[in-house]
PDB file of all heavy atoms in Angstrom:
ATOM      1  N   ALA B 635     118.197 111.215 105.136  1.00 97.00           N
ATOM      2  CA  ALA B 635     118.081 109.934 105.824  1.00 97.00           C
ATOM      3  C   ALA B 635     116.717 109.791 106.505  1.00 97.00           C
ATOM      4  O   ALA B 635     116.098 110.772 106.922  1.00 97.00           O
ATOM      5  CB  ALA B 635     119.192 109.809 106.863  1.00 97.00           C
ATOM      6  N   ASP B 636     116.256 108.550 106.605  1.00 97.00           N
ATOM      7  CA  ASP B 636     115.086 108.263 107.427  1.00 97.00           C
ATOM      8  C   ASP B 636     115.410 108.569 108.886  1.00 97.00           C
ATOM      9  O   ASP B 636     116.570 108.535 109.305  1.00 97.00           O
ATOM     10  CB  ASP B 636     114.700 106.786 107.301  1.00 97.00           C
ATOM     11  CG  ASP B 636     114.048 106.471 105.967  1.00 97.00           C
ATOM     12  OD1 ASP B 636     114.141 107.298 105.042  1.00 97.00           O
ATOM     13  OD2 ASP B 636     113.457 105.391 105.846  1.00 97.00           O
ATOM     14  N   GLU B 637     114.359 108.836 109.657  1.00 98.00           N
ATOM     15  CA  GLU B 637     114.544 109.243 111.044  1.00 98.00           C
ATOM     16  C   GLU B 637     113.635 108.456 111.979  1.00 98.00           C
ATOM     17  O   GLU B 637     112.574 107.969 111.577  1.00 98.00           O
ATOM     18  CB  GLU B 637     114.206 110.736 111.211  1.00 98.00           C
ATOM     19  CG  GLU B 637     115.039 111.685 110.390  1.00 98.00           C
ATOM     20  CD  GLU B 637     114.571 113.130 110.502  1.00 98.00           C
ATOM     21  OE1 GLU B 637     113.497 113.358 111.101  1.00 98.00           O
ATOM     22  OE2 GLU B 637     115.271 114.016 109.992  1.00 98.00           O
ATOM     23  N   LEU B 638     114.037 108.377 113.239  1.00 98.00           N
ATOM     24  CA  LEU B 638     113.163 107.976 114.329  1.00 98.00           C
ATOM     25  C   LEU B 638     112.943 109.214 115.187  1.00 98.00           C
ATOM     26  O   LEU B 638     113.890 109.812 115.698  1.00 98.00           O
ATOM     27  CB  LEU B 638     113.777 106.858 115.165  1.00 98.00           C
ATOM     28  CG  LEU B 638     112.942 106.433 116.389  1.00 98.00           C
ATOM     29  CD1 LEU B 638     111.592 105.854 115.970  1.00 98.00           C
ATOM     30  CD2 LEU B 638     113.709 105.416 117.244  1.00 98.00           C
ATOM     31  N   ASN B 639     111.669 109.615 115.322  1.00 98.00           N
ATOM     32  CA  ASN B 639     111.314 110.808 116.076  1.00 98.00           C
ATOM     33  C   ASN B 639     110.375 110.446 117.220  1.00 98.00           C
ATOM     34  O   ASN B 639     109.833 109.338 117.282  1.00 98.00           O
ATOM     35  CB  ASN B 639     110.626 111.828 115.162  1.00 98.00           C
ATOM     36  CG  ASN B 639     111.573 112.393 114.116  1.00 98.00           C
ATOM     37  OD1 ASN B 639     112.532 113.076 114.444  1.00 98.00           O
ATOM     38  ND2 ASN B 639     111.304 112.106 112.844  1.00 98.00           N
ATOM     39  N   ARG B 640     110.171 111.412 118.105  1.00 98.00           N
ATOM     40  CA  ARG B 640     109.276 111.188 119.237  1.00 98.00           C
ATOM     41  C   ARG B 640     108.543 112.481 119.588  1.00 98.00           C
ATOM     42  O   ARG B 640     109.117 113.569 119.571  1.00 98.00           O
ATOM     43  CB  ARG B 640     110.065 110.715 120.457  1.00 98.00           C
ATOM     44  CG  ARG B 640     109.199 110.520 121.715  1.00 98.00           C
ATOM     45  CD  ARG B 640     110.022 109.958 122.865  1.00 98.00           C
ATOM     46  NE  ARG B 640     111.141 110.830 123.207  1.00 98.00           N
ATOM     47  CZ  ARG B 640     112.201 110.447 123.910  1.00 98.00           C
ATOM     48  NH1 ARG B 640     112.298 109.201 124.338  1.00 98.00           N
ATOM     49  NH2 ARG B 640     113.176 111.303 124.172  1.00 98.00           N
ATOM     50  N   LEU B 641     107.248 112.330 119.894  1.00 98.00           N
ATOM     51  CA  LEU B 641     106.460 113.390 120.496  1.00 98.00           C
ATOM     52  C   LEU B 641     106.045 112.910 121.875  1.00 98.00           C
ATOM     53  O   LEU B 641     105.441 111.846 122.017  1.00 98.00           O
ATOM     54  CB  LEU B 641     105.216 113.695 119.657  1.00 98.00           C
ATOM     55  CG  LEU B 641     105.429 114.455 118.348  1.00 98.00           C
ATOM     56  CD1 LEU B 641     104.158 114.441 117.519  1.00 98.00           C
ATOM     57  CD2 LEU B 641     105.862 115.897 118.621  1.00 98.00           C
ATOM     58  N   THR B 642     106.375 113.659 122.909  1.00 97.00           N
ATOM     59  CA  THR B 642     106.026 113.251 124.261  1.00 97.00           C
ATOM     60  C   THR B 642     104.522 113.419 124.476  1.00 97.00           C
ATOM     61  O   THR B 642     103.834 114.131 123.724  1.00 97.00           O
ATOM     62  CB  THR B 642     106.777 114.080 125.302  1.00 97.00           C
ATOM     63  OG1 THR B 642     106.336 115.441 125.218  1.00 97.00           O
ATOM     64  CG2 THR B 642     108.284 114.014 125.067  1.00 97.00           C
ATOM     65  N   ALA B 643     104.016 112.774 125.519  1.00 97.00           N
ATOM     66  CA  ALA B 643     102.594 112.894 125.841  1.00 97.00           C
ATOM     67  C   ALA B 643     102.225 114.352 126.080  1.00 97.00           C
ATOM     68  O   ALA B 643     101.141 114.814 125.678  1.00 97.00           O
ATOM     69  CB  ALA B 643     102.270 112.041 127.064  1.00 97.00           C
ATOM     70  N   ALA B 644     103.125 115.099 126.729  1.00 96.00           N
ATOM     71  CA  ALA B 644     102.860 116.518 126.972  1.00 96.00           C
ATOM     72  C   ALA B 644     102.763 117.295 125.667  1.00 96.00           C
ATOM     73  O   ALA B 644     101.903 118.174 125.509  1.00 96.00           O
ATOM     74  CB  ALA B 644     103.953 117.104 127.865  1.00 96.00           C
ATOM     75  N   GLN B 645     103.646 116.992 124.720  1.00 96.00           N
ATOM     76  CA  GLN B 645     103.590 117.666 123.425  1.00 96.00           C
ATOM     77  C   GLN B 645     102.313 117.313 122.670  1.00 96.00           C
ATOM     78  O   GLN B 645     101.724 118.155 121.985  1.00 96.00           O
ATOM     79  CB  GLN B 645     104.816 117.295 122.590  1.00 96.00           C
ATOM     80  CG  GLN B 645     106.110 117.900 123.111  1.00 96.00           C
ATOM     81  CD  GLN B 645     107.333 117.355 122.395  1.00 96.00           C
ATOM     82  OE1 GLN B 645     107.406 116.167 122.057  1.00 96.00           O
ATOM     83  NE2 GLN B 645     108.319 118.211 122.163  1.00 96.00           N
ATOM     84  N   LEU B 646     101.868 116.082 122.783  1.00 96.00           N
ATOM     85  CA  LEU B 646     100.644 115.659 122.106  1.00 96.00           C
ATOM     86  C   LEU B 646      99.416 116.367 122.657  1.00 96.00           C
ATOM     87  O   LEU B 646      98.431 116.572 121.941  1.00 96.00           O
ATOM     88  CB  LEU B 646     100.468 114.143 122.229  1.00 96.00           C
ATOM     89  CG  LEU B 646     101.497 113.273 121.514  1.00 96.00           C
ATOM     90  CD1 LEU B 646     101.294 111.810 121.882  1.00 96.00           C
ATOM     91  CD2 LEU B 646     101.413 113.455 120.006  1.00 96.00           C
ATOM     92  N   ASP B 647      99.475 116.724 123.932  1.00 93.00           N
ATOM     93  CA  ASP B 647      98.325 117.352 124.580  1.00 93.00           C
ATOM     94  C   ASP B 647      98.392 118.878 124.559  1.00 93.00           C
ATOM     95  O   ASP B 647      97.454 119.548 124.992  1.00 93.00           O
ATOM     96  CB  ASP B 647      98.207 116.867 126.023  1.00 93.00           C
ATOM     97  CG  ASP B 647      97.844 115.393 126.104  1.00 93.00           C
ATOM     98  OD1 ASP B 647      97.148 114.906 125.194  1.00 93.00           O
ATOM     99  OD2 ASP B 647      98.273 114.729 127.063  1.00 93.00           O
ATOM    100  N   GLU B 648      99.498 119.415 124.058  1.00 88.00           N
ATOM    101  CA  GLU B 648      99.655 120.869 123.987  1.00 88.00           C
ATOM    102  C   GLU B 648      99.002 121.367 122.695  1.00 88.00           C
ATOM    103  O   GLU B 648      99.548 121.216 121.604  1.00 88.00           O
ATOM    104  CB  GLU B 648     101.141 121.238 124.006  1.00 88.00           C
ATOM    105  CG  GLU B 648     101.424 122.717 123.778  1.00 88.00           C
ATOM    106  CD  GLU B 648     100.687 123.613 124.752  1.00 88.00           C
ATOM    107  OE1 GLU B 648     101.116 123.716 125.909  1.00 88.00           O
ATOM    108  OE2 GLU B 648      99.680 124.209 124.329  1.00 88.00           O
ATOM    109  N   ASN B 649      97.832 121.961 122.815  1.00 81.00           N
ATOM    110  CA  ASN B 649      97.076 122.370 121.629  1.00 81.00           C
ATOM    111  C   ASN B 649      97.508 123.717 121.065  1.00 81.00           C
ATOM    112  O   ASN B 649      97.049 124.120 120.004  1.00 81.00           O
ATOM    113  CB  ASN B 649      95.577 122.410 121.955  1.00 81.00           C
ATOM    114  CG  ASN B 649      95.020 121.038 122.274  1.00 81.00           C
ATOM    115  OD1 ASN B 649      95.444 120.042 121.694  1.00 81.00           O
ATOM    116  ND2 ASN B 649      94.077 120.981 123.209  1.00 81.00           N
ATOM    117  N   LEU B 650      98.379 124.441 121.773  1.00 83.00           N
ATOM    118  CA  LEU B 650      98.807 125.766 121.316  1.00 83.00           C
ATOM    119  C   LEU B 650     100.091 125.715 120.497  1.00 83.00           C
ATOM    120  O   LEU B 650     100.423 126.666 119.804  1.00 83.00           O
ATOM    121  CB  LEU B 650      99.002 126.701 122.524  1.00 83.00           C
ATOM    122  CG  LEU B 650      97.753 126.957 123.376  1.00 83.00           C
ATOM    123  CD1 LEU B 650      98.092 127.864 124.551  1.00 83.00           C
ATOM    124  CD2 LEU B 650      96.630 127.555 122.545  1.00 83.00           C
ATOM    125  N   VAL B 651     100.829 124.620 120.601  1.00 89.00           N
ATOM    126  CA  VAL B 651     102.110 124.500 119.902  1.00 89.00           C
ATOM    127  C   VAL B 651     102.071 123.285 118.984  1.00 89.00           C
ATOM    128  O   VAL B 651     101.728 122.186 119.409  1.00 89.00           O
ATOM    129  CB  VAL B 651     103.279 124.366 120.904  1.00 89.00           C
ATOM    130  CG1 VAL B 651     104.599 124.154 120.162  1.00 89.00           C
ATOM    131  CG2 VAL B 651     103.358 125.589 121.797  1.00 89.00           C
ATOM    132  N   VAL B 652     102.422 123.490 117.718  1.00 95.00           N
ATOM    133  CA  VAL B 652     102.533 122.398 116.754  1.00 95.00           C
ATOM    134  C   VAL B 652     104.015 122.178 116.481  1.00 95.00           C
ATOM    135  O   VAL B 652     104.695 123.071 115.964  1.00 95.00           O
ATOM    136  CB  VAL B 652     101.792 122.725 115.443  1.00 95.00           C
ATOM    137  CG1 VAL B 652     101.995 121.614 114.424  1.00 95.00           C
ATOM    138  CG2 VAL B 652     100.299 122.948 115.713  1.00 95.00           C
ATOM    139  N   GLU B 653     104.529 121.022 116.856  1.00 96.00           N
ATOM    140  CA  GLU B 653     105.955 120.746 116.710  1.00 96.00           C
ATOM    141  C   GLU B 653     106.339 120.602 115.238  1.00 96.00           C
ATOM    142  O   GLU B 653     105.587 120.033 114.438  1.00 96.00           O
ATOM    143  CB  GLU B 653     106.331 119.477 117.476  1.00 96.00           C
ATOM    144  CG  GLU B 653     105.911 119.481 118.940  1.00 96.00           C
ATOM    145  CD  GLU B 653     106.608 120.538 119.767  1.00 96.00           C
ATOM    146  OE1 GLU B 653     107.593 121.123 119.288  1.00 96.00           O
ATOM    147  OE2 GLU B 653     106.157 120.792 120.902  1.00 96.00           O
ATOM    148  N   ASN B 654     107.540 121.080 114.884  1.00 97.00           N
ATOM    149  CA  ASN B 654     108.013 121.057 113.501  1.00 97.00           C
ATOM    150  C   ASN B 654     109.315 120.262 113.421  1.00 97.00           C
ATOM    151  O   ASN B 654     110.286 120.572 114.118  1.00 97.00           O
ATOM    152  CB  ASN B 654     108.235 122.486 112.991  1.00 97.00           C
ATOM    153  CG  ASN B 654     108.469 122.553 111.492  1.00 97.00           C
ATOM    154  OD1 ASN B 654     109.111 121.691 110.908  1.00 97.00           O
ATOM    155  ND2 ASN B 654     107.930 123.590 110.870  1.00 97.00           N
ATOM    156  N   PHE B 655     109.341 119.239 112.555  1.00 98.00           N
ATOM    157  CA  PHE B 655     110.517 118.374 112.429  1.00 98.00           C
ATOM    158  C   PHE B 655     111.415 118.738 111.238  1.00 98.00           C
ATOM    159  O   PHE B 655     112.397 118.052 110.990  1.00 98.00           O
ATOM    160  CB  PHE B 655     110.071 116.917 112.319  1.00 98.00           C
ATOM    161  CG  PHE B 655     109.551 116.359 113.622  1.00 98.00           C
ATOM    162  CD1 PHE B 655     108.217 116.471 113.962  1.00 98.00           C
ATOM    163  CD2 PHE B 655     110.413 115.749 114.528  1.00 98.00           C
ATOM    164  CE1 PHE B 655     107.737 115.976 115.165  1.00 98.00           C
ATOM    165  CE2 PHE B 655     109.948 115.253 115.734  1.00 98.00           C
ATOM    166  CZ  PHE B 655     108.600 115.368 116.057  1.00 98.00           C
ATOM    167  N   GLY B 656     111.067 119.805 110.501  1.00 98.00           N
ATOM    168  CA  GLY B 656     112.042 120.362 109.565  1.00 98.00           C
ATOM    169  C   GLY B 656     111.790 120.198 108.086  1.00 98.00           C
ATOM    170  O   GLY B 656     112.333 120.969 107.292  1.00 98.00           O
ATOM    171  N   PHE B 657     111.026 119.198 107.642  1.00 98.00           N
ATOM    172  CA  PHE B 657     110.797 119.011 106.203  1.00 98.00           C
ATOM    173  C   PHE B 657     110.023 120.204 105.641  1.00 98.00           C
ATOM    174  O   PHE B 657     109.063 120.663 106.253  1.00 98.00           O
ATOM    175  CB  PHE B 657     110.005 117.727 105.956  1.00 98.00           C
ATOM    176  CG  PHE B 657     109.538 117.573 104.525  1.00 98.00           C
ATOM    177  CD1 PHE B 657     110.387 117.035 103.569  1.00 98.00           C
ATOM    178  CD2 PHE B 657     108.258 117.961 104.143  1.00 98.00           C
ATOM    179  CE1 PHE B 657     109.960 116.906 102.249  1.00 98.00           C
ATOM    180  CE2 PHE B 657     107.829 117.830 102.841  1.00 98.00           C
ATOM    181  CZ  PHE B 657     108.677 117.298 101.881  1.00 98.00           C
ATOM    182  N   PRO B 658     110.403 120.705 104.440  1.00 98.00           N
ATOM    183  CA  PRO B 658     111.511 120.286 103.578  1.00 98.00           C
ATOM    184  C   PRO B 658     112.759 121.148 103.738  1.00 98.00           C
ATOM    185  O   PRO B 658     113.672 121.043 102.919  1.00 98.00           O
ATOM    186  CB  PRO B 658     110.919 120.474 102.187  1.00 98.00           C
ATOM    187  CG  PRO B 658     110.073 121.715 102.350  1.00 98.00           C
ATOM    188  CD  PRO B 658     109.501 121.648 103.746  1.00 98.00           C
ATOM    189  N   ALA B 659     112.792 121.986 104.770  1.00 97.00           N
ATOM    190  CA  ALA B 659     113.887 122.948 104.898  1.00 97.00           C
ATOM    191  C   ALA B 659     115.157 122.341 105.463  1.00 97.00           C
ATOM    192  O   ALA B 659     116.246 122.899 105.273  1.00 97.00           O
ATOM    193  CB  ALA B 659     113.440 124.115 105.796  1.00 97.00           C
ATOM    194  N   TYR B 660     115.029 121.138 106.108  1.00 97.00           N
ATOM    195  CA  TYR B 660     116.156 120.706 106.917  1.00 97.00           C
ATOM    196  C   TYR B 660     116.107 119.197 107.134  1.00 97.00           C
ATOM    197  O   TYR B 660     115.086 118.649 107.561  1.00 97.00           O
ATOM    198  CB  TYR B 660     116.070 121.418 108.264  1.00 97.00           C
ATOM    199  CG  TYR B 660     117.183 121.140 109.244  1.00 97.00           C
ATOM    200  CD1 TYR B 660     118.428 121.726 109.105  1.00 97.00           C
ATOM    201  CD2 TYR B 660     116.957 120.314 110.341  1.00 97.00           C
ATOM    202  CE1 TYR B 660     119.430 121.495 110.038  1.00 97.00           C
ATOM    203  CE2 TYR B 660     117.955 120.084 111.278  1.00 97.00           C
ATOM    204  CZ  TYR B 660     119.193 120.677 111.118  1.00 97.00           C
ATOM    205  OH  TYR B 660     120.175 120.453 112.036  1.00 97.00           O
ATOM    206  N   GLY B 661     117.203 118.529 106.830  1.00 98.00           N
ATOM    207  CA  GLY B 661     117.322 117.105 107.089  1.00 98.00           C
ATOM    208  C   GLY B 661     118.765 116.654 106.930  1.00 98.00           C
ATOM    209  O   GLY B 661     119.542 117.268 106.187  1.00 98.00           O
ATOM    210  N   GLU B 662     119.141 115.582 107.641  1.00 98.00           N
ATOM    211  CA  GLU B 662     120.520 115.087 107.532  1.00 98.00           C
ATOM    212  C   GLU B 662     120.699 114.354 106.212  1.00 98.00           C
ATOM    213  O   GLU B 662     119.893 113.500 105.842  1.00 98.00           O
ATOM    214  CB  GLU B 662     120.852 114.166 108.696  1.00 98.00           C
ATOM    215  CG  GLU B 662     122.327 113.779 108.735  1.00 98.00           C
ATOM    216  CD  GLU B 662     122.695 113.028 110.011  1.00 98.00           C
ATOM    217  OE1 GLU B 662     122.284 111.858 110.134  1.00 98.00           O
ATOM    218  OE2 GLU B 662     123.385 113.613 110.864  1.00 98.00           O
ATOM    219  N   LYS B 663     121.749 114.697 105.511  1.00 96.00           N
ATOM    220  CA  LYS B 663     122.004 114.126 104.192  1.00 96.00           C
ATOM    221  C   LYS B 663     122.311 112.643 104.304  1.00 96.00           C
ATOM    222  O   LYS B 663     123.097 112.211 105.161  1.00 96.00           O
ATOM    223  CB  LYS B 663     123.173 114.855 103.520  1.00 96.00           C
ATOM    224  CG  LYS B 663     123.382 114.471 102.066  1.00 96.00           C
ATOM    225  CD  LYS B 663     124.448 115.354 101.421  1.00 96.00           C
ATOM    226  CE  LYS B 663     124.612 115.014  99.942  1.00 96.00           C
ATOM    227  NZ  LYS B 663     125.627 115.880  99.300  1.00 96.00           N
ATOM    228  N   TYR B 664     121.690 111.847 103.441  1.00 94.00           N
ATOM    229  CA  TYR B 664     121.912 110.411 103.476  1.00 94.00           C
ATOM    230  C   TYR B 664     123.324 110.090 102.994  1.00 94.00           C
ATOM    231  O   TYR B 664     123.767 110.567 101.941  1.00 94.00           O
ATOM    232  CB  TYR B 664     120.895 109.696 102.585  1.00 94.00           C
ATOM    233  CG  TYR B 664     120.961 108.185 102.685  1.00 94.00           C
ATOM    234  CD1 TYR B 664     120.534 107.538 103.836  1.00 94.00           C
ATOM    235  CD2 TYR B 664     121.453 107.411 101.643  1.00 94.00           C
ATOM    236  CE1 TYR B 664     120.584 106.154 103.950  1.00 94.00           C
ATOM    237  CE2 TYR B 664     121.508 106.023 101.741  1.00 94.00           C
ATOM    238  CZ  TYR B 664     121.074 105.412 102.894  1.00 94.00           C
ATOM    239  OH  TYR B 664     121.128 104.042 103.004  1.00 94.00           O
ATOM    240  N   GLY B 665     124.042 109.300 103.787  1.00 91.00           N
ATOM    241  CA  GLY B 665     125.414 108.951 103.465  1.00 91.00           C
ATOM    242  C   GLY B 665     126.435 109.961 103.951  1.00 91.00           C
ATOM    243  O   GLY B 665     127.642 109.729 103.816  1.00 91.00           O
TER     244      GLY B 665
END
Side-chain angles (χ1 to χ4, degrees):
D636 286 15
E637 300 175 352
L638 177 63
N639 293 295
R640 177 176 59 198
L641 286 169
T642 66
Q645 290 171 322
L646 294 172
D647 293 329
E648 173 55 77
N649 295 325
L650 299 179
V651 176
V652 176
E653 307 295 347
N654 191 323
F655 288 89
F657 171 84
Y660 182 77
E662 188 172 72
K663 189 173 183 179
Y664 186 71

